[in-house]
């Protein structure tokens, strides 16, 4: 695996290891090619996945949303 700081026990590839792309350059290329992502979160035990826009500066990803937005509120908790 290219960069151990990217990999944690939770994000470790277990199936299809040969297809792993765990280097920052590849990750940045993938992120920079789009601006819409699917964000998953849980509210009162129910899983919700919604599309939202995002942007990146360096290694920080910014999600579009208002502070009172249910998704942002759940992710900040």
């Amino acid at each position: 695996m290219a960069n151990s700081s990217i990999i944690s026990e939770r994000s470790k590839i277990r199936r299809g290891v040969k297809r792993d792309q765990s280097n920052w350059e590849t990750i940045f290329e993938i992120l920079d090619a789009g601006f819409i992502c699917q964000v998953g979160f849980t509210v009162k035990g129910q899983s919700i996945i919604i599309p939202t826009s995002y942007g990146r500066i360096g290694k920080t990803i910014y999600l579009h949303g208002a502070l009172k937005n249910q998704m942002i509120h759940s992710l900040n908790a």
Side-chain angles (χ1 to χ4, degrees):
M1 301 203 184
N3 186 341
S4 61
S5 67
I6 297 172
I7 306 301
S8 71
E9 191 56 37
R10 270 184 87 183
S11 64
K12 182 179 176 183
I13 304 294
R14 289 172 173 66
R15 294 175 54 184
V17 177
K18 293 179 183 177
R19 295 174 30 188
D20 179 23
Q21 296 295 322
S22 296
N23 62 67
W24 288 115
E25 295 79 25
T26 303
I27 292 168
F28 292 158
E29 281 181 31
I30 293 167
L31 290 171
D32 293 345
F35 64 95
I36 300 290
C37 64
Q38 305 295 321
V39 178
F41 57 99
T42 306
V43 175
K44 296 180 183 176
Q46 181 173 348
S47 298
I48 302 170
I49 300 173
I50 61 170
T52 192
S53 58
Y54 69 90
R56 174 185 77 83
I57 298 176
K59 293 181 181 178
T60 303
I61 298 174
Y62 295 90
L63 299 175
H64 179 266
L67 288 177
K68 295 197 180 216
N69 175 307
Q70 189 176 38
M71 175 191 69
I72 301 295
H73 182 71
S74 296
L75 295 172
N76 279 333

